Every structure is written in C-alpha cells, then in structure tokens.
C-alpha cells in the first residue's frame, strides 16, 4: 500500500511539473492551447484533443490546419483553397467547405500539435469543481504519503 501511494504521489509531482513547464513554454513560444469540442476534424484531430496553435509566421498554405474566430466561435479547420479575399476552410469530416471566407484578421494561428484526450482534463480543470476535486485528491494522497512515512520511522 505504501509503495502505491508513493508512486501515485510521484506521478502527481511529475504531472504538475510537466503542466507548469508546458504552460511556461506556451507563453515563451507564443503558443495558444485550445480544446476540440466537435468532430469536424476527425480523424486528424479527435474530440477532446488539446491543440497547440502557433501564431502564423508565414501565410497558411493549402492543407494547413488553422484556428480562427468566426461569429464568436473558435474553429480549427484545414485550408482547402486560397482566394484573393482570404481562405476557404473545411473540416476533414465535413462533406462541404465552410460557408464564407476566413480573412487574415480572423486567423489565430496554425495548429502545430494535438494531444488526444488531454482536452478533457484541461476542460475539467477549468471549472471550480474540477479544481477542488483535483486539489482534494492531491492533498489526500500527500497526507497518506506523509502518514505512511511517519509510521515507518
């Protein structure tokens, strides 16, 4: 039992360090994280994925997956066509292209990486209830670890 608690404690420490490191890198590299909530980009990007979006250093090309804001929504779709006025986009799982043109000022950046299922954790931890549950579980594991350490001395 003691060994299991220690392993869980160590895993939590490693995960916390990874999250802090990732957040710092995103800030330094100007990468914006977003959670995918629809299946329009299946099978390239799954529902619940965490996507990392890099501010465009060059103009998007056909085939690039871009993130843009349209009508108050944040959308991640592939560039299907480039016109003088902007970009025609399409979700991989959609039969037709998106209506309207995505202009340069609507684009947030290009998707550079997707972590499957990580978005579910991010979404859960972005609520008050999720944070309370996470902190409570961590505190219980730390307390159990400390109590077991004290018993063994």
């Amino acid at each position: 039992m003691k060994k299991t608690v220690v392993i869980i404690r160590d895993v939590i420490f490693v995960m916390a360090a990874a999250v802090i490191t990732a957040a710092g890198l995103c800030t330094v590299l100007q990468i914006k994280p977003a959670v995918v909530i629809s299946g329009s980009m299946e099978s390239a990007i799954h529902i619940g994925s965490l996507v990392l979006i890099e501010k465009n250093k060059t103009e998007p090309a056909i085939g690039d997956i871009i993130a843009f804001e349209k009508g108050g929504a944040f959308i991640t779709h592939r560039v299907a066509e480039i016109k003088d006025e902007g970009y025609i986009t399409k979700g991989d799982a959609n039969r037709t292209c998106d209506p309207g043109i995505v202009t340069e000022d609507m684009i947030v950046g290009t998707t550079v990486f997707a972590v499957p299922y990580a978005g579910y954790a991010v979404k859960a931890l972005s609520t008050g209830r999720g944070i309370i549950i996470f902190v409570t579980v961590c505190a219980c594991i730390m307390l159990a670890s400390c109590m077991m350490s004290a018993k063994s001395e």
Side-chain angles (χ1 to χ4, degrees):
M1 176 73 173
K2 178 183 175 186
K3 192 173 190 176
T4 304
V5 172
V6 170
I7 290 170
I8 292 171
R9 181 198 64 197
D10 291 347
V11 167
I12 289 173
F13 279 135
V14 169
M15 287 173 46
V19 167
I20 292 167
T21 302
L25 282 173
C26 284
T27 302
V28 169
L29 299 174
Q30 295 183 333
I31 292 176
K32 179 181 173 89
V35 177
V36 175
I37 60 171
S38 81
S40 65
M41 282 302 294
E42 295 279 351
S43 64
I45 302 174
H46 301 287
I47 296 172
S49 292
L50 176 69
V51 291
L52 302 178
I53 302 154
E54 181 178 42
K55 189 172 171 120
N56 288 341
K57 294 180 174 105
T58 60
E59 289 189 18
I62 292 176
D64 285 352
I65 300 173
I66 62 170
F68 57 95
E69 290 187 61
K70 186 174 188 178
F74 191 77
I75 302 166
T76 303
H77 279 176
R78 194 176 301 276
V79 174
E81 188 180 337
I82 300 173
K83 296 190 171 213
D84 290 338
E85 313 85 59
Y87 303 91
I88 304 293
T89 57
K90 179 183 173 297
D92 288 359
N94 297 344
R95 292 182 182 188
T96 60
C97 290
D98 300 332
I101 298 217
V102 176
T103 57
E104 200 67 43
D105 62 318
M106 296 165 67
I107 298 174
V108 176
T110 302
T111 300
V112 292
F113 195 70
V115 183
Y117 309 111
Y120 289 122
V122 169
K123 195 159 179 116
L125 289 173
S126 67
T127 66
R129 179 182 284 171
I131 292 170
I132 290 169
I133 291 170
F134 180 73
V135 168
T136 302
V137 168
C138 290
C140 288
I141 291 169
M142 296 303 170
L143 184 60
S145 178
C146 289
M147 288 173 58
M148 288 184 174
S149 293
K151 279 185 181 179
S152 65
E153 291 178 2

PDB file of all heavy atoms in Angstrom, residues 5-14 16 134-150:
ATOM      1  N   VAL A   5       1.016   4.423  -2.834  1.00  0.00           N
ATOM      2  CA  VAL A   5       0.802   5.840  -2.510  1.00  0.00           C
ATOM      3  C   VAL A   5       2.004   6.667  -2.944  1.00  0.00           C
ATOM      4  O   VAL A   5       1.848   7.760  -3.506  1.00  0.00           O
ATOM      5  CB  VAL A   5       0.508   6.018  -0.997  1.00  0.00           C
ATOM      6  CG1 VAL A   5       0.485   7.491  -0.619  1.00  0.00           C
ATOM      7  CG2 VAL A   5      -0.810   5.359  -0.632  1.00  0.00           C
ATOM      8  N   VAL A   6       3.193   6.164  -2.715  1.00  0.00           N
ATOM      9  CA  VAL A   6       4.412   6.881  -3.119  1.00  0.00           C
ATOM     10  C   VAL A   6       4.477   7.019  -4.640  1.00  0.00           C
ATOM     11  O   VAL A   6       4.809   8.086  -5.161  1.00  0.00           O
ATOM     12  CB  VAL A   6       5.673   6.170  -2.566  1.00  0.00           C
ATOM     13  CG1 VAL A   6       6.940   6.750  -3.162  1.00  0.00           C
ATOM     14  CG2 VAL A   6       5.705   6.266  -1.046  1.00  0.00           C
ATOM     15  N   ILE A   7       4.124   5.972  -5.338  1.00  0.00           N
ATOM     16  CA  ILE A   7       4.136   6.028  -6.811  1.00  0.00           C
ATOM     17  C   ILE A   7       3.120   7.054  -7.306  1.00  0.00           C
ATOM     18  O   ILE A   7       3.425   7.873  -8.175  1.00  0.00           O
ATOM     19  CB  ILE A   7       3.857   4.630  -7.413  1.00  0.00           C
ATOM     20  CG1 ILE A   7       5.056   3.716  -7.170  1.00  0.00           C
ATOM     21  CG2 ILE A   7       3.545   4.733  -8.904  1.00  0.00           C
ATOM     22  CD1 ILE A   7       4.810   2.254  -7.513  1.00  0.00           C
ATOM     23  N   ILE A   8       1.911   7.026  -6.733  1.00  0.00           N
ATOM     24  CA  ILE A   8       0.880   7.997  -7.137  1.00  0.00           C
ATOM     25  C   ILE A   8       1.347   9.417  -6.835  1.00  0.00           C
ATOM     26  O   ILE A   8       1.192  10.324  -7.653  1.00  0.00           O
ATOM     27  CB  ILE A   8      -0.462   7.688  -6.442  1.00  0.00           C
ATOM     28  CG1 ILE A   8      -1.030   6.369  -6.976  1.00  0.00           C
ATOM     29  CG2 ILE A   8      -1.462   8.820  -6.656  1.00  0.00           C
ATOM     30  CD1 ILE A   8      -2.233   5.852  -6.212  1.00  0.00           C
ATOM     31  N   ARG A   9       1.947   9.617  -5.651  1.00  0.00           N
ATOM     32  CA  ARG A   9       2.468  10.942  -5.288  1.00  0.00           C
ATOM     33  C   ARG A   9       3.511  11.412  -6.299  1.00  0.00           C
ATOM     34  O   ARG A   9       3.481  12.542  -6.773  1.00  0.00           O
ATOM     35  CB  ARG A   9       3.083  10.904  -3.887  1.00  0.00           C
ATOM     36  CG  ARG A   9       3.632  12.263  -3.437  1.00  0.00           C
ATOM     37  CD  ARG A   9       4.594  12.138  -2.305  1.00  0.00           C
ATOM     38  NE  ARG A   9       5.763  11.389  -2.761  1.00  0.00           N
ATOM     39  CZ  ARG A   9       6.652  10.831  -1.944  1.00  0.00           C
ATOM     40  NH1 ARG A   9       6.504  10.887  -0.653  1.00  0.00           N
ATOM     41  NH2 ARG A   9       7.694  10.201  -2.427  1.00  0.00           N
ATOM     42  N   ASP A  10       4.425  10.522  -6.649  1.00  0.00           N
ATOM     43  CA  ASP A  10       5.475  10.877  -7.602  1.00  0.00           C
ATOM     44  C   ASP A  10       4.902  11.199  -8.983  1.00  0.00           C
ATOM     45  O   ASP A  10       5.356  12.121  -9.650  1.00  0.00           O
ATOM     46  CB  ASP A  10       6.511   9.757  -7.699  1.00  0.00           C
ATOM     47  CG  ASP A  10       7.336   9.609  -6.409  1.00  0.00           C
ATOM     48  OD1 ASP A  10       7.277  10.526  -5.557  1.00  0.00           O
ATOM     49  OD2 ASP A  10       8.008   8.568  -6.267  1.00  0.00           O
ATOM     50  N   VAL A  11       3.896  10.440  -9.393  1.00  0.00           N
ATOM     51  CA  VAL A  11       3.242  10.702 -10.689  1.00  0.00           C
ATOM     52  C   VAL A  11       2.587  12.083 -10.675  1.00  0.00           C
ATOM     53  O   VAL A  11       2.689  12.838 -11.639  1.00  0.00           O
ATOM     54  CB  VAL A  11       2.211   9.595 -11.026  1.00  0.00           C
ATOM     55  CG1 VAL A  11       1.314  10.005 -12.179  1.00  0.00           C
ATOM     56  CG2 VAL A  11       2.925   8.287 -11.338  1.00  0.00           C
ATOM     57  N   ILE A  12       1.940  12.431  -9.570  1.00  0.00           N
ATOM     58  CA  ILE A  12       1.306  13.756  -9.467  1.00  0.00           C
ATOM     59  C   ILE A  12       2.364  14.857  -9.542  1.00  0.00           C
ATOM     60  O   ILE A  12       2.167  15.869 -10.216  1.00  0.00           O
ATOM     61  CB  ILE A  12       0.472  13.867  -8.171  1.00  0.00           C
ATOM     62  CG1 ILE A  12      -0.780  12.993  -8.312  1.00  0.00           C
ATOM     63  CG2 ILE A  12       0.088  15.314  -7.892  1.00  0.00           C
ATOM     64  CD1 ILE A  12      -1.599  12.888  -7.052  1.00  0.00           C
ATOM     65  N   PHE A  13       3.499  14.671  -8.851  1.00  0.00           N
ATOM     66  CA  PHE A  13       4.578  15.663  -8.922  1.00  0.00           C
ATOM     67  C   PHE A  13       5.082  15.827 -10.354  1.00  0.00           C
ATOM     68  O   PHE A  13       5.285  16.944 -10.832  1.00  0.00           O
ATOM     69  CB  PHE A  13       5.740  15.284  -8.005  1.00  0.00           C
ATOM     70  CG  PHE A  13       5.543  15.650  -6.570  1.00  0.00           C
ATOM     71  CD1 PHE A  13       5.863  14.739  -5.567  1.00  0.00           C
ATOM     72  CD2 PHE A  13       5.057  16.886  -6.191  1.00  0.00           C
ATOM     73  CE1 PHE A  13       5.695  15.063  -4.223  1.00  0.00           C
ATOM     74  CE2 PHE A  13       4.879  17.219  -4.867  1.00  0.00           C
ATOM     75  CZ  PHE A  13       5.196  16.303  -3.878  1.00  0.00           C
ATOM     76  N   VAL A  14       5.278  14.713 -11.034  1.00  0.00           N
ATOM     77  CA  VAL A  14       5.771  14.766 -12.421  1.00  0.00           C
ATOM     78  C   VAL A  14       4.747  15.449 -13.325  1.00  0.00           C
ATOM     79  O   VAL A  14       5.100  16.287 -14.160  1.00  0.00           O
ATOM     80  CB  VAL A  14       6.122  13.346 -12.939  1.00  0.00           C
ATOM     81  CG1 VAL A  14       6.377  13.346 -14.427  1.00  0.00           C
ATOM     82  CG2 VAL A  14       7.336  12.808 -12.197  1.00  0.00           C
ATOM     83  N   ALA A  16       2.441  17.624 -12.435  1.00  0.00           N
ATOM     84  CA  ALA A  16       2.400  19.047 -12.095  1.00  0.00           C
ATOM     85  C   ALA A  16       3.596  19.773 -12.716  1.00  0.00           C
ATOM     86  O   ALA A  16       3.444  20.872 -13.281  1.00  0.00           O
ATOM     87  CB  ALA A  16       2.390  19.230 -10.581  1.00  0.00           C
ATOM     88  N   PHE A 134      -9.480  18.005  -7.890  1.00  0.00           N
ATOM     89  CA  PHE A 134      -8.068  17.714  -8.133  1.00  0.00           C
ATOM     90  C   PHE A 134      -7.224  18.036  -6.897  1.00  0.00           C
ATOM     91  O   PHE A 134      -6.402  17.227  -6.466  1.00  0.00           O
ATOM     92  CB  PHE A 134      -7.563  18.492  -9.357  1.00  0.00           C
ATOM     93  CG  PHE A 134      -6.122  18.246  -9.665  1.00  0.00           C
ATOM     94  CD1 PHE A 134      -5.708  17.042 -10.213  1.00  0.00           C
ATOM     95  CD2 PHE A 134      -5.163  19.215  -9.403  1.00  0.00           C
ATOM     96  CE1 PHE A 134      -4.374  16.802 -10.497  1.00  0.00           C
ATOM     97  CE2 PHE A 134      -3.828  18.993  -9.683  1.00  0.00           C
ATOM     98  CZ  PHE A 134      -3.432  17.781 -10.237  1.00  0.00           C
ATOM     99  N   VAL A 135      -7.426  19.206  -6.321  1.00  0.00           N
ATOM    100  CA  VAL A 135      -6.652  19.618  -5.139  1.00  0.00           C
ATOM    101  C   VAL A 135      -6.952  18.683  -3.966  1.00  0.00           C
ATOM    102  O   VAL A 135      -6.038  18.288  -3.224  1.00  0.00           O
ATOM    103  CB  VAL A 135      -6.949  21.089  -4.770  1.00  0.00           C
ATOM    104  CG1 VAL A 135      -6.390  21.451  -3.403  1.00  0.00           C
ATOM    105  CG2 VAL A 135      -6.375  22.017  -5.832  1.00  0.00           C
ATOM    106  N   THR A 136      -8.200  18.292  -3.787  1.00  0.00           N
ATOM    107  CA  THR A 136      -8.578  17.385  -2.702  1.00  0.00           C
ATOM    108  C   THR A 136      -7.903  16.027  -2.863  1.00  0.00           C
ATOM    109  O   THR A 136      -7.346  15.482  -1.895  1.00  0.00           O
ATOM    110  CB  THR A 136     -10.116  17.217  -2.638  1.00  0.00           C
ATOM    111  OG1 THR A 136     -10.712  18.508  -2.465  1.00  0.00           O
ATOM    112  CG2 THR A 136     -10.524  16.295  -1.500  1.00  0.00           C
ATOM    113  N   VAL A 137      -7.935  15.473  -4.068  1.00  0.00           N
ATOM    114  CA  VAL A 137      -7.292  14.181  -4.317  1.00  0.00           C
ATOM    115  C   VAL A 137      -5.788  14.280  -4.057  1.00  0.00           C
ATOM    116  O   VAL A 137      -5.204  13.415  -3.390  1.00  0.00           O
ATOM    117  CB  VAL A 137      -7.579  13.684  -5.752  1.00  0.00           C
ATOM    118  CG1 VAL A 137      -6.699  12.504  -6.118  1.00  0.00           C
ATOM    119  CG2 VAL A 137      -9.050  13.320  -5.901  1.00  0.00           C
ATOM    120  N   CYS A 138      -5.161  15.331  -4.558  1.00  0.00           N
ATOM    121  CA  CYS A 138      -3.713  15.518  -4.336  1.00  0.00           C
ATOM    122  C   CYS A 138      -3.405  15.640  -2.845  1.00  0.00           C
ATOM    123  O   CYS A 138      -2.449  15.034  -2.348  1.00  0.00           O
ATOM    124  CB  CYS A 138      -3.209  16.755  -5.072  1.00  0.00           C
ATOM    125  SG  CYS A 138      -3.178  16.567  -6.854  1.00  0.00           S
ATOM    126  N   ALA A 139      -4.211  16.416  -2.122  1.00  0.00           N
ATOM    127  CA  ALA A 139      -3.988  16.598  -0.685  1.00  0.00           C
ATOM    128  C   ALA A 139      -4.138  15.280   0.058  1.00  0.00           C
ATOM    129  O   ALA A 139      -3.336  14.968   0.954  1.00  0.00           O
ATOM    130  CB  ALA A 139      -4.956  17.641  -0.136  1.00  0.00           C
ATOM    131  N   CYS A 140      -5.130  14.480  -0.313  1.00  0.00           N
ATOM    132  CA  CYS A 140      -5.332  13.178   0.343  1.00  0.00           C
ATOM    133  C   CYS A 140      -4.147  12.250   0.092  1.00  0.00           C
ATOM    134  O   CYS A 140      -3.688  11.557   1.013  1.00  0.00           O
ATOM    135  CB  CYS A 140      -6.623  12.524  -0.148  1.00  0.00           C
ATOM    136  SG  CYS A 140      -8.102  13.339   0.480  1.00  0.00           S
ATOM    137  N   ILE A 141      -3.651  12.248  -1.124  1.00  0.00           N
ATOM    138  CA  ILE A 141      -2.502  11.395  -1.447  1.00  0.00           C
ATOM    139  C   ILE A 141      -1.260  11.866  -0.699  1.00  0.00           C
ATOM    140  O   ILE A 141      -0.502  11.059  -0.157  1.00  0.00           O
ATOM    141  CB  ILE A 141      -2.274  11.342  -2.967  1.00  0.00           C
ATOM    142  CG1 ILE A 141      -3.421  10.559  -3.614  1.00  0.00           C
ATOM    143  CG2 ILE A 141      -0.933  10.721  -3.308  1.00  0.00           C
ATOM    144  CD1 ILE A 141      -3.466  10.645  -5.113  1.00  0.00           C
ATOM    145  N   MET A 142      -1.049  13.167  -0.637  1.00  0.00           N
ATOM    146  CA  MET A 142       0.104  13.701   0.088  1.00  0.00           C
ATOM    147  C   MET A 142       0.007  13.384   1.581  1.00  0.00           C
ATOM    148  O   MET A 142       0.989  12.992   2.213  1.00  0.00           O
ATOM    149  CB  MET A 142       0.222  15.220  -0.101  1.00  0.00           C
ATOM    150  CG  MET A 142       0.489  15.641  -1.505  1.00  0.00           C
ATOM    151  SD  MET A 142       1.980  14.868  -2.119  1.00  0.00           S
ATOM    152  CE  MET A 142       1.873  15.273  -3.811  1.00  0.00           C
ATOM    153  N   LEU A 143      -1.198  13.540   2.122  1.00  0.00           N
ATOM    154  CA  LEU A 143      -1.414  13.248   3.538  1.00  0.00           C
ATOM    155  C   LEU A 143      -1.163  11.767   3.823  1.00  0.00           C
ATOM    156  O   LEU A 143      -0.479  11.421   4.799  1.00  0.00           O
ATOM    157  CB  LEU A 143      -2.840  13.628   3.940  1.00  0.00           C
ATOM    158  CG  LEU A 143      -3.202  13.465   5.412  1.00  0.00           C
ATOM    159  CD1 LEU A 143      -2.300  14.321   6.292  1.00  0.00           C
ATOM    160  CD2 LEU A 143      -4.658  13.830   5.642  1.00  0.00           C
ATOM    161  N   ALA A 144      -1.687  10.893   2.973  1.00  0.00           N
ATOM    162  CA  ALA A 144      -1.469   9.450   3.148  1.00  0.00           C
ATOM    163  C   ALA A 144       0.017   9.122   3.060  1.00  0.00           C
ATOM    164  O   ALA A 144       0.536   8.312   3.836  1.00  0.00           O
ATOM    165  CB  ALA A 144      -2.251   8.673   2.093  1.00  0.00           C
ATOM    166  N   SER A 145       0.725   9.758   2.144  1.00  0.00           N
ATOM    167  CA  SER A 145       2.159   9.536   1.985  1.00  0.00           C
ATOM    168  C   SER A 145       2.915   9.967   3.239  1.00  0.00           C
ATOM    169  O   SER A 145       3.797   9.266   3.725  1.00  0.00           O
ATOM    170  CB  SER A 145       2.665  10.288   0.755  1.00  0.00           C
ATOM    171  OG  SER A 145       4.046  10.128   0.613  1.00  0.00           O
ATOM    172  N   CYS A 146       2.547  11.122   3.776  1.00  0.00           N
ATOM    173  CA  CYS A 146       3.202  11.631   4.993  1.00  0.00           C
ATOM    174  C   CYS A 146       2.914  10.724   6.187  1.00  0.00           C
ATOM    175  O   CYS A 146       3.808  10.433   6.990  1.00  0.00           O
ATOM    176  CB  CYS A 146       2.731  13.041   5.307  1.00  0.00           C
ATOM    177  SG  CYS A 146       3.342  14.272   4.154  1.00  0.00           S
ATOM    178  N   MET A 147       1.681  10.255   6.307  1.00  0.00           N
ATOM    179  CA  MET A 147       1.311   9.384   7.428  1.00  0.00           C
ATOM    180  C   MET A 147       2.067   8.057   7.343  1.00  0.00           C
ATOM    181  O   MET A 147       2.511   7.536   8.352  1.00  0.00           O
ATOM    182  CB  MET A 147      -0.200   9.150   7.432  1.00  0.00           C
ATOM    183  CG  MET A 147      -0.984  10.393   7.852  1.00  0.00           C
ATOM    184  SD  MET A 147      -2.769  10.233   7.679  1.00  0.00           S
ATOM    185  CE  MET A 147      -3.130   8.844   8.693  1.00  0.00           C
ATOM    186  N   MET A 148       2.219   7.540   6.133  1.00  0.00           N
ATOM    187  CA  MET A 148       2.946   6.284   5.974  1.00  0.00           C
ATOM    188  C   MET A 148       4.427   6.458   6.254  1.00  0.00           C
ATOM    189  O   MET A 148       5.063   5.573   6.801  1.00  0.00           O
ATOM    190  CB  MET A 148       2.705   5.716   4.583  1.00  0.00           C
ATOM    191  CG  MET A 148       1.314   5.185   4.416  1.00  0.00           C
ATOM    192  SD  MET A 148       1.128   4.420   2.825  1.00  0.00           S
ATOM    193  CE  MET A 148      -0.492   3.741   2.996  1.00  0.00           C
ATOM    194  N   SER A 149       4.964   7.609   5.883  1.00  0.00           N
ATOM    195  CA  SER A 149       6.372   7.891   6.170  1.00  0.00           C
ATOM    196  C   SER A 149       6.602   7.983   7.665  1.00  0.00           C
ATOM    197  O   SER A 149       7.586   7.494   8.207  1.00  0.00           O
ATOM    198  CB  SER A 149       6.807   9.184   5.501  1.00  0.00           C
ATOM    199  OG  SER A 149       6.800   9.056   4.119  1.00  0.00           O
ATOM    200  N   ALA A 150       5.655   8.608   8.386  1.00  0.00           N
ATOM    201  CA  ALA A 150       5.777   8.771   9.831  1.00  0.00           C
ATOM    202  C   ALA A 150       5.681   7.420  10.552  1.00  0.00           C
ATOM    203  O   ALA A 150       6.384   7.175  11.544  1.00  0.00           O
ATOM    204  CB  ALA A 150       4.690   9.701  10.356  1.00  0.00           C
TER     205      ALA A 150
END
